Amino acid sequence: MASLSFQQTCISLPNGAQGVLAQAPHLTRAHVSIAIAAGYLDEPRTLPGLAHLLEHVLTTAPLEAFSNISLLTWFSQHQGSLNAHTDDYVTDVHFSIPAETLEAAALTVASQLARPAFSPSVICAEVAAIDAEWQARQHSSAMQRLSAIATLSDPQHIGAGCRHGNAQTLGSDMALLLEALTAFHRDHYHGGRVSIAMISPWTTETMTRLIKRMATLFSPPTPSAPSLAITPRWSRLPHAKIARTGNAVELLWPLPSAIARHQLIALSGLAGSVQQGYLVEQFPDSITDYRATLAPSGATDTFSLTLSGTATQEQVEALAADLSERLATFFATLLGTAPNDHDIVWQPPADTLQLAPAWFAHARRQALARRFIAQPPEHQPGASPFAANNARWLLDNASPSPSPSTFDRQPAAYPAVQHWCGQYGVSDDFAALATTAWAACFVPGAVIVPSPLTAQRLALQDIVFKQENSPHGSWVIAMGSQANHAMVALLEDAVLAASKAQEGMLAQQLIQRLTPLPAAPAVWVSHQAELDTISQALAALTCRSLTTTAGNTPRAAPSAADTQPANVAIMRTLILPGSPAQRWLLAAAEKYHSATFFQQARYEHRLGYVAAVRRGDGAPCSLGYVVQTSNGVQSSAGTVSAGEKRIEEKLISITNAIWQTPDKTLQAQLPALTPPETPLAALVLQWQSLLAGTHQPLHRLGQQPIDSPALTQLLSQISTLGHWQTHWLYSAGHYFVSD
């Protein structure tokens, strides 16, 4: 099976900064993370959310060299993407950028993090943005999990409270916040806490020189700088029963406050082995899936095992004791073979699609390692985290979810199944795919529910499994030498379930509607021999249809992530038939309109705390300009308030102006789109193109120069062939479209 691994180089610098880099010659973009060993649990006790606020201010404050441009805007203008994340003990700003722009981007970000300019107006705006996030997410499963984890902490520890932050915790005294942000930045954003991670097509020597230049921008730590050491936060209570953490049990094994690097490497290897099927036979029948994670978000000083399914507290107690014993034994084995220094090879997880998220997670772990190994010499590494009675857990005490297998068993004719067979050029992306087998299946309007622990059982057979679900359909893909046989077995054991309500921000839910999906089941296989068998198995699965499926339900139920009645997302879409030239045009518009739209929608017109341009590629192809606000007035289904109408009018005005006066770059050239970065990503991109009505992903169409008359003709199609619509999605679940 095709897989990737990358040689690592680690460097240490005089000011205390550290770097890790890896060369990936096949990349066209570089992925860089600047991680600071400071997070929620380093804040002043009286200002929950201060670290989160600093992250926001750093990415939205004007750059020193550009009075009206923030990091976010700069990256939009340079075909890049940037984001940031604040966790318990680490804050990181990470970005992806075309390789030819790497040096400018890296120095721009490092300079902003090292020497930012704070202003009360930016601080005020970002307090409002954090509060809007809090209002939208406070009832989400992720926020409930954070609150649940806090109850397991020592009551005297700062971690016993949720540190996301909101307008109430941060207050309205801008002078106080400015002083607090300045002090927090001085104490924590210095070389002694900086870790820079870079993966790119550049040579190792060139990347090393760039990382050294970035690091020199940060000051050395002051003599009074706070220690990197982690204060244990877990109480002596062995467990807790917590409501509403989702239909899952999360087992947590707190890590000792002092851990050697080779112990962390062994723990990381343990998580990887568990993901690849180790322990798969140890779980009761009620467990349908699991995920092992070293240092999960929100509980970064633990080893976590999340079990999907149902279990009583008594069952969890017995399971925790048994798993602790088995993990301790396997950990001891790995510890005996783990290297005593840095990893020399980085290998992303087998199911990685794009390298960036996996690399950024790796970078956060490198920064976290600095804190675990920063204990004074007298603090020797403690015992195994899997010692008896050390496990904590979060146990959902909600009513069990309804069984997904409520089907209409009336005889029905097998549905017609769309099918494709062959490579469709994926070996042009990764030559290793020429000798790899795969199978992919799609069902519209329902969710494919595989038998329990499918991904882990397939991993034991050296088969990679990937699944994606939405209210509009579900697909699964298997890649490996026996993938076709595995897919038949998977479909024969699977059932269909009703699509769940969409999760995440309302704006994200609207964006999911941009890409077209077929109305019939579909199959794509690499080899003709198994096509008929897999098609028949998919048809048989589809015949076990639900009495009511999501495809028959025009509006999804409101998501737990957006229960505030004032939240509304509004998206204006441009839809074109989907010729290759039109797809290229919208790809160019997505890149070159993003910065302008973000600046105008969020800052100049203040339409909301979300503002983004996203593309749905296919036939038809579409482009969406989306905003989300918490300032709307609750409306009944199918109606629009006066305030929301004003937002729509401004949205139309902004998008019309963007298209009437195209960016000069848009007129001059079309973008070079990013090719897939892993073999699995190459398959998924091709599969998504087939489902969307095209036979080739956009990056494989080949960039053809378009002269000025041809571009003028393309732009004229916006008014002749283009179809504009406005989409509305309310947190109460109402969704409708107006032309």
Side-chain angles (χ1 to χ4, degrees), residues 4 46 52 58 99 149 156 160 163 222 225-226 264 327 372 408 446 450 459 467 483 545 589 594 643 675 715:
L4 296 174
T46 56
H52 190 191
L58 289 171
I149 287 173
Q156 304 304 313
R163 310 293 297 183
T222 63
L264 283 172
L327 290 170
F372 279 120
D408 178 3
Q467 179 167 8
S545 59
S594 290
L715 292 173

Side-chain angles (χ1 to χ4, degrees), residues 213-234:
R213 290 180 62 192
M214 295 166 65
T216 57
L217 296 172
F218 292 89
S219 302
T222 63
S224 60
S227 169
L228 278 168
I230 293 175
T231 303
R233 67 169 170 179
W234 301 101

Side-chain angles (χ1 to χ4, degrees), residues 47 54 312 339 449 642:
L47 281 175
L54 178 56
T312 65
V449 182

Side-chain angles (χ1 to χ4, degrees), residues 255 259-269 294 368-369 372-373:
L255 304 180
I259 295 180
R261 184 175 292 276
H262 70 281
Q263 288 178 300
L264 283 172
I265 294 171
L267 284 168
S268 179
L294 173 62
L368 185 64
F372 279 120
I373 64 177

Side-chain angles (χ1 to χ4, degrees), residues 181-468:
L181 286 172
T182 302
F184 190 83
H185 181 273
R186 180 192 64 238
D187 292 341
H188 296 91
Y189 280 63
H190 55 71
R193 288 177 178 258
V194 172
S195 299
I196 302 172
M198 182 182 298
I199 185 169
S200 83
W202 286 17
T203 65
T204 298
E205 294 76 14
T206 306
M207 283 189 282
T208 299
R209 287 195 296 269
L210 178 57
I211 287 179
K212 288 180 177 179
R213 290 180 62 192
M214 295 166 65
T216 57
L217 296 172
F218 292 89
S219 302
T222 63
S224 60
S227 169
L228 278 168
I230 293 175
T231 303
R233 67 169 170 179
W234 301 101
S235 70
R236 296 182 180 274
L237 295 175
H239 61 264
K241 183 178 181 180
I242 306 297
R244 295 188 302 174
T245 60
N247 188 30
V249 176
E250 184 172 10
L251 299 172
L252 298 164
W253 285 271
L255 304 180
S257 57
I259 295 180
R261 184 175 292 276
H262 70 281
Q263 288 178 300
L264 283 172
I265 294 171
L267 284 168
S268 179
L270 177 59
S273 296
V274 172
Q275 283 299 104
Q276 292 302 300
Y278 177 72
L279 295 179
V280 73
E281 302 297 340
Q282 311 304 321
F283 297 108
D285 293 340
S286 59
I287 301 302
T288 59
D289 195 11
Y290 69 74
R291 176 164 291 276
T293 311
L294 173 62
S297 179
T300 54
D301 48 357
T302 68
F303 185 96
S304 168
L305 188 59
T306 302
L307 311 176
S308 300
T310 57
T312 65
Q313 184 163 341
E314 292 74 19
Q315 289 174 321
V316 173
E317 289 184 17
L319 188 58
D322 181 58
L323 292 175
S324 293
E325 180 180 352
R326 295 177 185 276
L327 290 170
T329 300
F330 194 33
F331 175 57
T333 302
L334 292 175
L335 196 58
T337 59
N340 292 316
D341 203 347
H342 298 275
D343 293 282
I344 59 172
V345 172
W346 175 68
Q347 186 167 358
D351 62 351
T352 298
L353 289 178
Q354 296 299 316
L355 291 180
W359 181 251
F360 298 150
H362 180 61
R364 283 192 288 272
R365 190 165 299 165
Q366 295 292 312
L368 185 64
R370 300 187 67 175
R371 308 205 63 168
F372 279 120
I373 64 177
Q375 303 297 331
E378 63 270 17
H379 286 81
Q380 298 300 318
S384 166
F386 307 107
N389 299 322
N390 194 38
R392 278 76 165 163
W393 57 82
L394 306 178
L395 176 62
D396 181 23
N397 67 355
S399 301
S401 299
S403 169
S405 54
T406 306
F407 298 106
D408 178 3
R409 297 290 185 178
Q410 296 298 319
Y414 277 12
V417 175
Q418 284 185 269
H419 58 266
W420 300 274
C421 181
Q423 289 201 359
Y424 286 89
V426 293
S427 58
D428 293 339
D429 295 323
F430 283 90
L433 290 173
T435 58
T436 302
W438 62 82
C441 294
F442 167 79
V443 173
V447 173
I448 300 172
V449 182
S451 61
L453 307 178
T454 290
Q456 294 81 8
R457 297 185 193 280
L458 291 178
L460 292 176
Q461 304 173 43
D462 202 28
I463 295 174
V464 176
F465 172 78
K466 196 76 173 178
Q467 179 167 8
E468 182 173 299

